[in-house]
Amino acid sequence: MGLLMTPKGDSRTQKSSQQASLEWLSAEYHDLNGDHIDILEGTPTALEFARIVQISRPVLIKRFQASSCKWSNDYLISKMGSRPISVAVTPNGCVRADAITLGPNGKLYFAEPAVEKMTMKSLLDNLSDDKASDGDAEKYYLQSQNGNVYSSRFFNGQDDSSEFETLRQDIPSDVKWCTEALDKSPEAVNVWIGDGGSISSIHSADPYENIYTVVRGQKHFTLLPPTDGWCLDERFYPHATYVRNAGDLVLQPSPEISPPIRWASILNPHLPGCTPPEAHPIHISVSENEAIYIPVGWWHHVRQSGITVALNWWYDTEMRGMSWVMLSYLRDMKDVPSGNTDNEGSKTVV
């Protein structure tokens, strides 16, 4: 059977050939791999991890201790002092940054958070260990990423100033067995700090092999393979950013010359019934001193319980060979409409 052939007699042959091919690939991948992920009881060797990368499926790694320090509020405040840090802020009732949001004019936007400078103490004072986030409070999430601890400049031997310079002694610049397996240094190392009100909408924008560990709290991942991308109803949305206006956060659309953002319109893929029945989401929680490997191209949606601190290492993917070509092909097989051509998109904004 050819790679993109649709089985004869299948009811999906009545749909477009593109849609039928996507659904067949999704079903075939699930038939071969199931909806589980492997769990390692300790860190792998470089050879073992190289084999994991070749298979390109998520793996949960237990007993992953990135640092021996305790990531308590007292530790973070004492280490960071009065140094200003960049924190994403979204308004009351909005628990997502970098997500699809209904604007005041009735249009849907890809909304980026306001980014405000504050001390570590101010950030932590605005976070809560309560499982239920306060819907009436603004949401704060340290998600500056792009190498907020170590960027590519560090690994290239260049000056690499960081807001988190004082935390570097407790954050390894790489994961040794990953660096050895991939024969390269990370592209970026990040620290993430949030609470139950901090949610990352589902995305597959990371062109990286991702090692993500929790050092305090717990993260909840919903993962979908690249073959399920068609289930997430990607659309193009105009860009907007939250800004302060008389003390309140308001959504400010970007100039129309800004290119639209391609983004999934399914906001709650972790909830039953929010993805098509053909989708195969995997749900996994990552606790303190555990790590998850998220392969390039995998869709992921992330929630957390209480105040959570996490670290991650992004390694550039290998773009030679067929893997990256196939990932790009899967994204381009389906036409992506505007998110504002009708009222259908708004039903996903909750």
Side-chain angles (χ1 to χ4, degrees):
M1 183 182 293
L3 177 63
L4 299 181
M5 179 181 286
T6 304
K8 291 183 179 180
D10 195 305
S11 63
R12 290 174 294 185
T13 57
Q14 304 302 314
K15 303 179 181 180
S16 71
S17 59
Q18 284 183 328
Q19 183 70 17
S21 296
L22 286 167
E23 293 188 16
W24 182 83
L25 278 169
S26 177
E28 186 77 358
Y29 181 86
H30 184 257
D31 288 346
L32 290 171
N33 295 279
D35 54 9
H36 74 285
I37 68 173
D38 289 337
I39 298 175
L40 303 182
E41 292 301 324
T43 56
T45 66
L47 178 58
E48 289 169 339
F49 185 67
R51 291 169 175 162
I52 290 170
V53 172
Q54 184 178 30
I55 295 170
S56 194
R57 282 186 64 79
V59 171
L60 179 68
I61 304 167
K62 294 182 175 291
R63 293 197 288 275
F64 181 101
Q65 190 165 4
S67 173
S68 60
C69 73
K70 296 294 184 182
W71 292 82
S72 64
N73 285 13
D74 288 343
Y75 161 80
L76 290 167
I77 292 168
S78 66
K79 294 288 285 189
M80 293 297 297
S82 60
R83 295 172 67 97
I85 56 175
S86 303
V87 176
V89 188
T90 49
N92 305 354
C94 175
V95 297
R96 299 174 181 86
D98 301 328
I100 307 308
T101 301
L102 190 64
N105 56 2
K107 290 181 66 174
L108 294 172
Y109 291 89
F110 174 81
E112 290 197 63
V115 177
E116 299 184 346
K117 295 284 189 179
M118 63 188 66
T119 64
M120 179 63 74
K121 184 179 187 307
S122 295
L123 168 62
L124 294 170
D125 285 346
N126 281 290
L127 301 180
S128 172
D129 261 326
D130 292 339
K131 289 187 177 180
S133 60
D134 183 357
D136 295 328
E138 292 182 344
K139 310 302 177 187
Y140 294 77
Y141 191 19
L142 196 160
Q143 57 153 29
S144 48
Q145 54 189 295
N146 294 329
N148 64 14
V149 180
Y150 302 98
S151 77
S152 59
R153 295 180 61 84
F154 175 87
F155 301 105
N156 292 331
Q158 300 171 296
D159 178 63
D160 184 37
S161 59
S162 165
E163 293 180 339
F164 303 96
E165 193 97 28
T166 56
L167 296 182
R168 280 183 171 178
Q169 68 185 68
D170 294 316
I171 300 176
S173 60
D174 74 344
V175 179
K176 298 302 181 186
W177 41 265
C178 187
T179 297
E180 183 180 347
L182 301 178
D183 193 27
K184 64 180 71 173
S185 297
E187 178 68 16
V189 183
N190 305 293
V191 60
W192 311 73
I193 303 177
D195 65 7
S198 310
I199 298 175
S200 297
S201 64
I202 193 159
H203 62 286
S204 178
D206 306 338
Y208 304 112
E209 308 291 358
N210 189 356
I211 304 293
Y212 197 109
T213 186
V214 174
V215 295
R216 173 183 172 184
Q218 190 176 54
K219 294 261 187 175
H220 311 286
F221 290 81
T222 297
L223 307 166
L224 288 97
T227 48
D228 279 2
W230 65 272
C231 297
L232 298 173
D233 196 17
E234 283 191 285
R235 298 180 179 219
F236 282 108
Y237 297 93
H239 180 270
T241 305
Y242 285 106
V243 297
R244 287 282 178 194
N245 184 355
D248 295 326
L249 285 171
V250 296
L251 193 63
Q252 178 174 289
S254 300
E256 291 189 5
I257 58 172
S258 301
I261 306 298
R262 178 175 174 170
W263 208 256
S265 63
I266 304 297
L267 294 190
N268 294 303
H270 60 295
L271 297 180
C274 285
T275 56
E278 297 90 348
H280 309 103
I282 298 171
H283 308 286
I284 187 81
S285 293
V286 181
S287 301
E288 187 173 327
N289 292 330
E290 294 180 344
I292 188 168
Y293 162 59
I294 304 175
V296 62
W298 275 72
W299 296 84
H300 45 291
H301 172 272
V302 191
R303 299 172 294 118
Q304 45 211 332
S305 297
I307 297 178
T308 300
V309 183
L311 310 171
N312 87 300
W313 294 260
W314 274 329
Y315 286 80
D316 266 340
T317 188
E318 177 56 75
M319 292 189 177
R320 295 175 298 175
M322 281 299 297
S323 296
W324 185 255
V325 174
M326 285 302 299
L327 288 173
S328 299
Y329 181 64
L330 286 171
R331 292 291 298 276
D332 292 339
M333 281 184 69
K334 187 176 180 180
D335 292 336
V336 180
S338 167
N340 287 291
T341 53
D342 52 40
N343 292 324
E344 184 178 353
S346 61
K347 68 184 181 182
T348 65
V349 178
V350 294

